[in-house]
Amino acid sequence: MPAIVVLVKHVPDTWSTRTLEEDFTMDRDNVDLVIDEVNEYAVEQALRLKEANEGYEVVALCAGPAGAEEALRKALAMGADRAVLLQDDALAGSDVLGTSWALFNAINQVPDVQLVITGAASSDGSMGQVPGILAEYRQQPALTYLKSISIEGDTVRGVRETADGDFEIEASLPAVVSISDKADKPRFPNFKGIMAAKKAEIQTLNLAAIGVAAEQVGLAHAATAVTQAQERPKREAGERIYGNPEELATKIAQFLADEKLI
């Protein structure tokens, strides 16, 4: 059976106060953790593809600690057919390259993957590099930042929204795509789905099971490193301007020009 693998991530709630540890990794022990919101959009698109194309199964995949099962159960409650958790202590602190390598090898454990769907960028890292790196590892085309997606035969088509307008793009299957929060809103799980997700068995893999060595992942073996960080400055009050409509229009236009917004 052809599979659509949708990647989900267990991240600090965006409403939580997020801080860094001494090694510049994010403190995940003192915040509420939830499925990344953009991943819900990705799951929604995966489910719509399954509904429109008979014979596909949707597999939710997550790399993280045991608590990350919550993100997978949310995907199952929405309608994913099954879930896989890649859990190994050696993964802690992996950079985007190590994480992508581990995900690539975990995806390879799923038979006949025709499409890998991710969110455009995680809310904790905000790098947006995993889809492109996965496409390189898999030697498959990547369609990124899509707001809609469809499968027609052996072709995947999508629409990317940009400041310059919408662009229709396509590629042959198998492929990797990323979904933005411009896509249709994700569905709410119904009671039946929630109860089924609670009872569902989640397949758990470790690094050995996917053929990845501990020396290829983790903070100590990362190819990139954060060497400095500072708190974002508090937002200052905006400037108020007064005058008649003509004066105000001139001042606003000049401000936009000075900021190179026009």
Side-chain angles (χ1 to χ4, degrees):
M1 177 182 293
I4 299 171
V5 173
V6 57
L7 302 183
V8 300
K9 192 174 184 182
H10 204 216
V11 299
D13 193 328
T14 53
W15 293 102
S16 300
T17 299
R18 292 178 284 184
T19 58
L20 298 178
E21 303 279 14
E22 292 183 0
D23 59 3
F24 297 115
T25 58
M26 187 169 291
D27 177 8
R28 299 177 185 272
D29 295 327
N30 299 299
V31 293
D32 295 326
L33 296 169
V34 297
I35 184 174
D36 203 340
E37 184 178 3
V38 74
N39 293 156
E40 295 186 51
Y41 286 85
V43 172
E44 176 64 29
Q45 292 303 308
L47 295 175
R48 292 191 181 205
L49 288 175
K50 175 190 172 182
E51 292 163 356
N53 300 271
E54 186 177 352
Y56 278 88
E57 69 165 345
V58 174
V59 182
L61 172 63
C62 178
E69 280 193 2
E70 293 182 21
L72 290 171
R73 293 196 187 280
K74 179 63 179 290
L76 289 169
M78 291 176 66
D81 296 294
R82 58 190 181 95
V84 179
L85 175 63
L86 175 59
Q87 179 188 344
D88 199 299
D89 291 343
L91 282 168
S94 295
D95 64 358
V96 68
L97 293 173
T99 298
S100 298
W101 179 247
L103 289 170
F104 162 67
N105 284 278
I107 292 168
N108 287 344
Q109 308 307 306
V110 180
D112 197 13
V113 177
Q114 291 298 302
L115 199 61
V116 177
I117 302 181
T118 77
S122 63
S123 61
D124 56 350
S126 301
M127 295 186 68
Q129 302 299 311
V130 168
I133 297 172
L134 278 179
E136 181 65 22
Y137 284 153
R138 291 178 62 79
Q139 289 296 286
Q140 294 171 358
L143 305 182
T144 56
Y145 288 90
L146 303 183
K147 70 174 184 179
S148 65
I149 183 175
S150 63
I151 292 177
E152 299 176 24
D154 294 330
T155 301
V156 56
R157 291 186 169 89
V159 177
R160 177 189 294 154
E161 180 178 333
T162 74
D164 297 320
D166 288 356
F167 292 84
E168 296 181 359
I169 53 181
E170 65 178 54
S172 58
L173 292 172
V176 178
V177 305
S178 69
I179 303 297
S180 76
D181 58 6
K182 302 293 185 182
D184 291 330
K185 291 188 178 297
R187 67 194 65 187
F188 289 103
N190 56 35
F191 180 75
K192 181 179 180 181
I194 293 172
M195 296 307 295
K198 286 184 177 180
K199 300 176 182 178
E201 181 178 349
I202 294 177
Q203 180 184 5
T204 301
L205 301 173
N206 58 20
L207 292 179
I210 63 173
V212 173
E215 294 76 17
Q216 296 174 309
V217 296
L219 182 62
H221 308 289
T224 60
V226 177
T227 59
Q228 186 178 8
Q230 61 185 30
E231 291 188 10
R232 178 181 298 174
K234 293 183 179 180
R235 180 175 296 180
E236 298 179 355
E239 178 185 355
R240 295 185 178 184
I241 58 176
Y242 303 91
N244 60 51
E246 291 184 1
E247 292 175 338
L248 292 175
T250 300
K251 290 180 179 179
I252 291 173
Q254 186 59 52
F255 171 81
L256 294 175
D258 292 341
E259 296 295 323
K260 298 181 180 181
L261 298 174
I262 58 174

